[in-house]
Amino acid sequence: MIDFALDDRMEALREFLHGFAVDELRPRARAADVSGTVEPEVIARLGEMAGDRAAIVPSLRSDEGHDGPRSDGMVAVVGGEELAWGDAAMILNIPGPGLVGPSISSAGTPDQQRRFLAEIFDGAGPRFGALAVTEAQAGSDVSNLRTTAVRDGDEWVLNGTKVFCTNGARADVLVVNATIDPGAGRSGQRLFVVLKGTPGMAVGRIERKLGLTASETAELVFDGCRIPFDHIVGGEEALRPASGFKATLRAFDASRPGVAAMAIGIGRAAFDYVTEWSRTEIPRHARRRPFVEARLAATERDLAAARGLARRAAWMADNRIPNSKEASMAKASGPRAALRACVSAIEIMGPEGYSREHLVEKWFRDIKVYDIFEGTGQIQRVVIGRHILGRLD
Amino acid sequence: MDLRPTEEQQSLVEVLHDFAASEVRRAARACEEAGEVAGALRAALVEIGVSTGVAEAFGGQGTFDAVTGLMIAEELAWGDPGVAYSVLAPGVVASVLQRAATPEQQADLLPGLAAGGRAALALTEREAGADIFRMDTTADTGRLHGVKYAVPDPGPAGSLIVVAEGPSIWRVVTGAWAEAVAEDKLGLRSARTLKLGLDGMGAEEIGTGTDDVVAALLAAKLVTAGIALGLARAAVEYAAAYASERTAFGRPIGAFQGISFMIADRATDLDAARLLCWEAGWALDAARPGADRLVMAACGQAVAAAVAASDDAVQVLGGHGYMRDHPVELWYRDAMTLATLDAPWLIGDLFLAGRYQAGGLP
Ligand SMILES: Cc1cc2nc3c(=O)[nH]c(=O)nc-3n(C[C@H](O)[C@H](O)[C@H](O)COP(=O)(O)OP(=O)(O)OC[C@H]3O[C@@H](n4cnc5c(N)ncnc54)[C@H](O)[C@@H]3O)c2cc1C
């Protein structure tokens, strides 16, 4: 039967995270944006609070390991929207494995999952994971990567430079995409685990950005960086042809609906804010009201439609239905809808909208990256188009 | 119909473009960091003699028609929109005075502006934005009451001209704005602007007739539209250049229609907006009927073109566009800041739609 209701546990999670967003994230958003950092005490506290969240999340994953329905996908979209409503940059400062989670849990050996996920992210202290794929000359086109991994006895030697790596400088566990066969394009690529402090790895520049300023975006330089042989994700198995790139893609497949939901959360933050503003702050010019109301209504419908796409993609993933096209639809539409919501909000607020006294100008800066990272809007359209039309070229 | 700029306009644009390409672009980030236009840059522009058009009779180098004003604003804003917003402020005031002030007022104020004096027009309001037909500021018996935003800081010695309901325009004669705090803005950060409480300031009215005042203010709005055009052009050009150099999947990204259509659309928006602005400026100077409608439409189109162009320019650069190494993120913020002053659907459309009712259309 068609049923759009969130079950009680999911609804409880949503309420819990909304409270967390209201109490912990939103109040810190501006200070973090201005300073470009989050203090260690706050990070530690976010880590503890996330522990509380983890207490709820496992109950939603009770059927893990079986072939039956899961709920991680829905947790990511429902939770992602609430948390990003609070503050998108703060979320990226909540300790946890980040994209290392899906890359190792989907492609790593059981031993790797234990050593690099369970043992490091043991809740004892704030720990971060980061995924380093992008290079200066290669973003959307991952086959252009130049970072190499060369086997030397029972070690790998990494050479190359990664850019734009979220939490890259502070990461305890880094998953790096590198090629073991430079002539082979994507099929030569594998994922490697590099632990913090490994000699031969250095942090380069930290980017200064339009938005998400409080999220660390780092350059990482590998210069003769040696890691043990068993740090290749998937172990010995991964040496078989064409297994590496798929692992990266799988990590992104899983994350797209959640990223779309975060974008929707930012758009909803702007929409909620300006709706309240319009109720109380635009009493004078009666002729303006219908214009403002029409814009608010369009925003609500836009965001609702995008939310539907994100939740469908998550529901499919949780029910083990292939969702590549649907995940791309969600990722292509959520950030655009949310950007329009931010634009409308700023325009309605007029010169108060550009002021740093309100958060809408920040949401407008933060939102833009959601149409860029984790596969740009154009790349999502390429995926959707190929699913519908097949490969015509 | 003739769409060729005069030789004078062409050479003016060339000089300004060189200046914008060499001096303004280079200084833009530093001005943004400082929150104001570097003194040397401002002085250099006064030297070139284009930022403030004042008639020779008042010691200036001549005035500009509205279309030339648009060209000047476009070139400077191509260099940096915030710098343009700030340095053009005295020129906006000079233009308003020459269109609406009495001869005595002109003789009083214009020589100072011709000599490089600072001045600003306080127009934007919290609710009305830059909608000159919906101002909330009042000026009963010369006492001003209201709050203005995005006022380019005229400095303590500069003159301040305030737009009030009517619309009417007023020159502040008593009361100081030295205490006013600079705005902390999303964009146009190289322009130091004030949020200015007017209460208690004494003012004297500029000009006498409403028609002249309306025309003067419409011309002032067109300057902001010109800034939006320059911003849009900078963004489209930057994106186009990047798209022909950056490769992905073995081709320049501009070879993908996902990119080339975006650039084509934004270039088309820009050309359409520029034509509308020029037509509006021409109609305004020729005092043609319907000039007000053209100006209101043009301002909205220009701002919309700037917002779309800067958004897409960031997109074309991908992750690199999100970083401060490239100017597109700055234009993205600047364009949205301009949009708060003149959101097309809230100001232009509201004006246009109002006349459908008054004109008895169904
Ligand atoms: C804040 C931030 C955080 C990030 N975090 C990480 C991270 O943690 N780890 C990581 O590895 N990377 C990260 N990235 C990098 C991000 O994933 C890339 O920026 C993104 O993949 C785009 O690559 P690019 O920037 O090289 O753009 P390009 O690939 O150069 O794209 C430029 C433009 O070309 C378009 N384009 C490309 N190919 C096509 C095509 N076939 N058809 C149509 N258009 C096309 C793109 O859509 C885009 O508009 C981050 C980026 C940012 C901004």
Side-chain angles (χ1 to χ4, degrees):
Chain A
M1 194 186 77
I2 304 278
D3 180 0
F4 282 90
L6 299 179
D7 67 30
D8 290 348
R9 291 175 309 169
M10 200 67 76
E11 192 53 49
L13 175 75
R14 201 191 62 73
E15 273 166 32
F16 170 76
L17 291 178
H18 187 72
F20 179 74
V22 169
D23 297 337
E24 303 290 334
L25 302 183
R26 189 64 74 83
R28 301 194 162 103
R30 178 55 77 185
D33 178 60
V34 170
S35 69
T37 53
V38 180
E39 301 95 67
E41 309 86 77
V42 174
I43 290 177
R45 175 160 172 75
L46 293 176
E48 282 164 28
M49 298 286 295
D52 295 349
R53 175 190 58 159
I56 296 187
V57 175
S59 72
L60 290 163
R61 287 192 180 144
S62 50
D63 23 36
E64 221 165 348
H66 298 84
D67 286 340
R70 295 172 297 197
S71 41
D72 332 26
M74 198 56 85
V75 167
V77 294
V78 170
E81 178 176 337
E82 290 312 319
L83 291 171
W85 180 94
D87 186 63
M90 295 297 292
I91 304 179
L92 297 169
N93 283 285
I94 300 177
L99 287 171
V100 160
S103 10
I104 295 183
S105 57
S106 69
T109 62
D111 180 55
Q112 288 173 335
Q113 296 183 19
R114 180 178 56 73
R115 281 161 60 211
F116 303 134
L117 288 179
E119 286 181 14
I120 293 181
F121 299 93
D122 59 356
R127 298 260 196 277
F128 288 92
L131 179 65
V133 177
T134 306
E135 297 177 8
Q137 80 294 343
S140 305
D141 182 5
V142 182
S143 66
N144 251 343
L145 296 186
R146 294 194 191 133
T147 298
T148 53
V150 175
R151 187 167 179 182
D152 182 17
D154 53 5
E155 286 181 327
W156 294 102
V157 185
L158 300 184
N159 281 292
T161 301
K162 296 291 180 181
V163 298
F164 303 166
C165 184
T166 300
N167 288 329
R170 58 156 69 133
D172 299 280
V173 183
L174 204 61
V175 170
V176 180
N177 201 6
T179 179
I180 54 174
D181 182 1
R186 286 174 184 185
S187 63
Q189 293 172 11
R190 298 294 181 276
L191 298 176
F192 296 87
V193 176
V194 182
L195 299 177
K196 191 179 205 150
T198 305
M201 177 183 73
V203 174
R205 61 187 291 195
I206 304 291
E207 299 290 344
R208 293 186 64 212
K209 308 190 294 296
L210 167 61
L212 292 188
T213 58
S215 167
E216 174 184 285
T217 309
E219 180 187 47
L220 298 167
V221 182
F222 300 91
D223 183 7
C225 176
R226 290 180 171 270
I227 53 172
F229 176 77
D230 66 1
H231 279 213
I232 183 169
V233 174
E236 201 76 54
E237 276 286 289
L239 289 180
R240 288 196 327 214
S243 50
F245 186 68
K246 272 197 206 123
T248 328
L249 279 192
R250 234 176 291 152
F252 281 121
D253 256 12
S255 66
R256 270 178 286 155
V259 173
M262 286 183 208
I264 293 164
I266 297 173
R268 199 186 98 211
F271 171 73
D272 287 350
Y273 196 88
V274 77
T275 303
E276 191 53 34
W277 168 276
S278 305
R279 247 179 231 131
T280 55
E281 304 276 339
I282 313 192
R284 299 173 60 103
H285 295 298
R287 289 244 316 118
R288 254 175 110 90
R289 286 213 72 94
F291 285 70
V292 170
E293 282 162 6
R295 218 9 117 90
L296 291 175
T299 304
E300 180 172 350
R301 122 171 94 70
D302 231 11
L303 290 174
R307 183 180 296 114
L309 291 173
R311 288 195 178 173
R312 173 181 67 172
W315 173 85
M316 290 173 78
D318 286 346
N319 286 279
R320 298 171 204 277
I321 304 168
N323 75 342
S324 166
K325 179 180 78 174
E326 291 77 9
S328 283
M329 286 180 164
K331 175 68 175 60
S333 70
R336 292 307 300 170
L339 175 62
R340 289 191 292 273
C342 293
V343 168
S344 292
I346 294 183
E347 288 178 343
I348 290 169
M349 291 175 65
E352 289 284 344
Y354 67 54
S355 165
R356 294 202 173 193
E357 283 169 34
H358 304 276
L359 284 168
V360 283
E361 66 82 25
K362 176 184 183 297
W363 294 324
F364 170 74
R365 287 183 287 115
D366 289 347
I367 191 61
K368 183 63 203 164
V369 77
Y370 286 78
D371 205 17
I372 295 172
F373 61 14
E374 311 256 342
T376 67
Q378 289 65 43
I379 295 301
Q380 307 304 336
R381 289 170 180 80
V382 169
V383 173
I384 299 165
R386 285 210 180 126
H387 274 282
I388 297 171
L389 300 167
R391 265 184 182 268
L392 297 174
D393 50 359
Chain B
M1 184 158 167
D2 184 355
L3 294 177
R4 281 167 306 189
T6 63
E7 269 174 36
E8 210 176 318
Q9 285 170 332
Q10 277 172 26
S11 52
L12 186 62
V13 164
E14 265 166 42
V15 170
L16 274 179
H17 186 73
D18 287 347
F19 185 79
S22 54
E23 307 296 322
V24 182
R25 277 274 166 100
R26 191 182 325 142
R29 282 290 184 184
C31 293
E32 176 182 43
E33 294 288 328
E36 60 191 342
V37 177
L41 190 62
R42 191 184 296 279
L45 274 159
V46 170
E47 186 79 5
I48 297 179
V50 291
S51 55
T52 309
V54 175
E56 279 158 21
F58 299 111
Q61 300 178 31
T63 55
F64 304 112
D65 58 87
V67 174
T68 308
L70 278 161
M71 292 174 176
I72 292 171
E74 177 175 336
E75 284 316 314
L76 284 178
W78 179 91
D80 182 70
V83 167
Y85 190 79
S86 179
V87 300
L88 290 171
V92 169
V93 169
S95 151
V96 166
L97 293 174
Q98 284 166 113
R99 286 167 190 270
T102 64
E104 298 76 45
Q105 288 167 334
Q106 294 190 11
D108 186 15
L109 292 166
L110 288 171
L113 293 179
R118 302 275 294 273
L121 184 72
L123 168 60
T124 303
E125 293 184 355
R126 179 186 171 96
E127 280 182 55
D131 188 344
I132 59 173
F133 299 105
R134 242 168 271 276
M135 295 278 105
D136 285 325
T137 295
T138 56
D140 294 329
T141 62
R143 300 312 283 177
L144 293 173
H145 173 68
V147 180
K148 293 293 184 178
Y149 292 73
V151 181
D153 185 359
S159 339
L160 189 64
I161 308 293
V162 173
V163 186
E165 64 183 355
S168 56
I169 40 183
W170 302 77
R171 177 188 166 217
V172 174
V173 287
T174 59
W177 50 89
E179 313 274 288
V181 275
E183 292 174 304
D184 193 3
K185 307 190 292 297
L186 165 65
L188 297 180
R189 290 175 70 85
S190 48
R192 186 181 147 89
T193 59
L194 309 175
K195 174 176 170 182
L196 202 56
L198 301 170
D199 290 11
M201 289 187 186
E204 106 194 350
E205 187 160 12
I206 298 278
T208 45
T210 307
D211 284 354
D212 287 347
V213 169
V214 167
L217 293 175
L218 289 172
K221 277 171 69 72
L222 272 184
V223 173
T224 312
I227 293 175
L229 295 176
L231 191 165
R233 192 178 106 218
V236 171
E237 285 179 7
Y238 202 91
Y242 190 85
S244 41
E245 309 221 314
R246 174 78 173 178
T247 59
F249 307 100
R251 303 194 227 173
I253 56 170
F256 298 114
Q257 289 174 344
I259 295 292
S260 66
F261 283 14
M262 231 182 337
I263 292 171
D265 285 345
R266 300 297 78 86
T268 308
D269 292 349
L270 166 61
D271 278 12
R274 186 191 291 112
L275 286 166
L276 193 54
C277 285
W278 284 4
E279 185 179 357
W282 161 83
L284 196 60
D285 279 345
R288 298 185 67 95
D292 54 353
R293 302 178 66 74
L294 281 168
V295 174
M296 295 302 270
C299 290
Q301 289 300 106
V303 164
V307 169
S310 57
D311 176 9
D312 282 353
V314 174
Q315 191 67 26
V316 167
L317 268 72
H320 298 267
Y322 202 66
M323 308 303 164
R324 286 176 166 250
D325 306 291
H326 294 277
V328 288
E329 67 85 25
L330 181 130
W331 295 329
Y332 176 83
R333 291 183 286 115
D334 286 352
M336 196 62 230
T337 305
L338 285 175
T340 65
L341 313 180
D342 227 336
W345 59 281
L346 264 181
I347 296 181
D349 291 0
L350 195 59
F351 176 81
L352 299 175
R355 299 300 157 96
Y356 305 147
Q357 291 179 348
L361 282 177

